[in-house]
Amino acid sequence: MDSTWLVDFLRGMAKPLAATVVVFMAIALSFSQKLGLEGEMIYSICRSFLQLSVIGFVLQFIFNQENAGWIVLAYLFMVSVAGYTAGQRAKHVPKGKYVAGVSILAGTSVTMFLLVALRVFPFTPRYIIPVAGMMVGNSMTVTGVTMKRLRDDIRTQMNLVETALALGATPRQATLQQVKKALVIALSPVLDNAKTVGLISLPGAMTGLIMGGASPLEAIRLQIIVMNFMIGATTVSSILSTYLCSPSFFTKAYQLQTKVFSSA
């Protein structure tokens, strides 16, 4: 059995392993300040090292296949993991993982379809999978924050919501202010990032293109496209999540589900 690939991989890992020096510095600082994060730091860096190594081999395999089926499979896997993670953040929302998964799938699939339809990128694993990863990752963060914030705000303002319901408001009308607040808080980091992109830091996609030898002007053009679609995907996902999780907050008689808001 040819083990050349393994030798090459291990040689290539020399610099990444050397970069862990700064992690040990962080561990030492955590220990000196009695933060208690040493174990979490070690676990995090080991897990990321393992995950990225495995995904590197998986992507290498998929890129060599040039098969659309692998693109769809990889995309659905990312959405599943993102839905689970966002649902974990909003753990007090009933069926939160399913709500988050459907919301992320809807928001990112629409934008990815437009990307392909407009021929921004060729429909190949090398282009679609990294872009889909950026869309799904950002939608995951925004959706999780939206769901958690909406539930928490309704919990702290139950009297206002119940009063509105008693006066004849629908659940959506009674929680309109909480929905708006949750969406604004969740989407603000994405919009702030768009406002400062290129001024404070260069986005990952743009950096990768430039380091790969692409013209900075070409990298900027593609980054603008990705940023625009990212804003669209996160907005669709977050708004849809408020519609999907709201019914679980109320009974059929338009009363608050007290058990959903019983825990902090």
Side-chain angles (χ1 to χ4, degrees), residues 197 203-206 209 218-228:
V197 64
M206 181 177 170
L209 287 168
E218 177 70 11
I220 289 171
R221 183 179 68 83
L222 294 177
Q223 181 59 52
I224 291 173
I225 295 172
V226 171
M227 184 67 68
N228 290 341

Side-chain angles (χ1 to χ4, degrees), residues 75 79 102-115 135-136 233 237:
Y75 168 68
V79 170
V102 171
S103 300
I104 294 169
L105 177 64
T108 56
S109 61
V110 170
T111 50
M112 291 304 298
F113 173 78
L114 290 174
L115 265 176
M135 301 285 183
V136 172
S237 298

